Structure formats: C-alpha cells, structure tokens
C-alpha cells in the first residue's frame, strides 16, 4: 500500500506508530520553579559521540503549559534535564510516570519512584536507573505541526549502575533487558539478545 499522511491510511491503527521501532525510551527528569517532573519519551536518541549529545521530542500539550508539556516547559526555563534509561525491571515505574498530572505534581512522588540529585546540573534523576545522562540543553525548537517540540542537549555527566557493567567492562542490560517502545498504545519490547557485526 501507499498513502500520503495528510490523506489518512484507512487502517484501524496508525502504522506510523509501529514502523519506526523499537525506539529507545528517554525517561526525562526536570526541575523548574513549579517543582520536579519525570516523563518518558520514545522520540529519543543519541545524536553524537564527542561531545556526547542527545535529543528528544515532545508531542501534544497540556492546558496548564501553554502549547507544550511539563518537560519542555521546565527545560526552557532551567536549560538542563536528565535522561534516565529504564530497563525491563523498571517498566511499571516508567509506565506509572506517563500519568497526566497538573503542573507542579511530581511523578517521582505520585508514582513512588526514588530520586537522587544530579552532580553536574541542578536536576533530579531516577536513583535506580541503569544509567542516567545529565544534560545541558543547547536548543529547544518548535517542529512542524501543533505542539511538537525538540530538545537537543550536551551530556555533562553519566551515572551507570554498577551491576550494569559486565565482566568485559561493557554497559550491558541483557540480564534484565533493555526496554524499548514499539507501536500503538502500549506495545513495548524487552531486548535481551544482541549480536555483533564488524564493519568491513
């Protein structure tokens, strides 16, 4: 089949949500004048090695955040954020943090997720996350469409949970599984298998 997005796809479920998958989840924590916030975003990835950089995009808006969501609004204010990486063992906590709360309500408290302070920025992080990336925002930019925003950041500090470094000294979540977003409303993947291919 072929379809133009502006004309619709005619299927019972939007295939766009499933075509680009699996997607890593950036579990974004922020701090602003209204308090701390935590929310997962699957439009997320690393963008560069040196210096290490990341991006995430937010779609949709809340009535109390003037055309965006809490994460983007707080990053625009503070210029810092933390990307927490969730493994399969933290799937329920990550999912609980998707609940929509009024601005100023901390998902850390609402979902019972332990937090810790970042070292290089003034921001909370998920205390039990396999890895957390402390970031300074370099750009907060509007994307095409209504209430679509992208945040770019430089990583200023990296936390790695000790048990996530294997005997070879590599970051490895195969024991618990990387958590990835698939398509549609609640489809996820647990990645426990990897293979190696050497570039020619």
């Amino acid at each position: 089949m072929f379809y133009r997005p502006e004309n619709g796809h005619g299927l019972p479920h939007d295939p766009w949500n499933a075509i680009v998958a699996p997607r890593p989840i950036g579990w974004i924590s922020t701090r602003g004048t209204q308090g701390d916030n935590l929310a997962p975003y699957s439009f997320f990835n690393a963008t560069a090695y040196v210096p290490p950089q990341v991006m995430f995009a937010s779609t949709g808006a809340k009535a109390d955040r003037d055309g965006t969501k809490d994460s983007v609004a707080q990053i625009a204010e503070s210029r810092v954020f933390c990307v927490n990486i969730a493994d399969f063992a933290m799937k329920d906590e990550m999912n609980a943090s998707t609940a929509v709360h009024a601005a100023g309500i901390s998902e850390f408290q609402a979902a019972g997720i332990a937090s810790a302070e970042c070292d290089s920025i003034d921001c909370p992080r998920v205390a039990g996350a396999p890895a957390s990336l402390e970031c300074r925002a370099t750009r907060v930019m509007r994307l095409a469409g209504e209430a679509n925003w992208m945040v770019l950041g430089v990583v200023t500090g990296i936390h790695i949970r000790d048990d996530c470094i294997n005997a070879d000294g590599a970051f490895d979540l195969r024991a618990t599984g990387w958590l990835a977003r698939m398509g549609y409303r609640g489809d996820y993947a647990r990645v426990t298998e990897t293979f190696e291919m050497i570039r020619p």
Side-chain angles (χ1 to χ4, degrees):
M1 70 176 281
F2 170 79
Y3 73 96
R4 297 182 187 277
E6 64 269 22
N7 297 332
H9 46 75
L11 297 171
H13 304 286
D14 187 351
W16 174 245
N17 293 346
I19 291 170
V20 183
R23 299 190 301 274
I25 299 166
W27 204 6
I28 309 297
S29 52
T30 58
R31 174 170 287 154
T33 54
Q34 296 195 53
D36 294 345
N37 186 261
L38 178 65
Y41 293 85
S42 66
F43 291 130
F44 157 75
N45 221 311
T47 60
Y49 286 121
V50 182
Q53 294 168 69
V54 297
M55 64 73 61
F56 80 93
S58 173
T59 64
K62 294 176 64 210
D64 58 3
R65 280 301 194 179
D66 191 26
T68 188
K69 293 180 180 175
D70 295 320
S71 302
V72 173
Q74 297 205 150
I75 293 168
E77 176 188 323
S78 70
R79 307 304 295 182
V80 298
F81 61 100
C82 186
V83 178
N84 303 277
I85 304 299
D87 60 0
F88 182 75
M90 300 195 81
K91 69 183 186 332
D92 294 329
E93 292 91 335
M94 183 281 300
N95 192 52
S97 71
T98 67
V100 178
H101 298 287
I105 302 297
S106 168
E107 286 77 11
F108 285 102
Q109 293 181 351
I113 299 167
S115 67
E117 289 298 308
C118 289
D119 290 339
S120 65
I121 57 173
D122 181 16
C123 187
R125 61 184 176 88
V126 175
S132 296
L133 314 175
E134 301 181 2
C135 303
R136 291 198 177 278
T138 54
R139 292 188 73 182
V140 178
M141 56 191 290
R142 183 180 285 278
L143 301 175
E146 187 177 348
N148 294 328
W149 294 85
M150 181 168 66
V151 176
L152 298 167
V154 172
V155 178
T156 59
I158 300 174
H159 299 265
I160 300 175
R161 209 173 66 206
D162 291 342
D163 66 300
C164 298
I165 300 174
N166 68 21
D168 293 328
F171 181 76
D172 190 347
L173 291 185
R174 282 177 295 181
T176 57
W178 284 270
L179 188 60
R181 188 73 166 91
M182 300 300 287
Y184 309 118
R185 291 190 62 190
D187 294 343
Y188 290 85
R190 178 186 185 186
V191 180
T192 57
E193 241 178 80
T194 65
F195 63 92
E196 185 177 61
M197 290 194 296
I198 306 300
R199 294 179 183 180

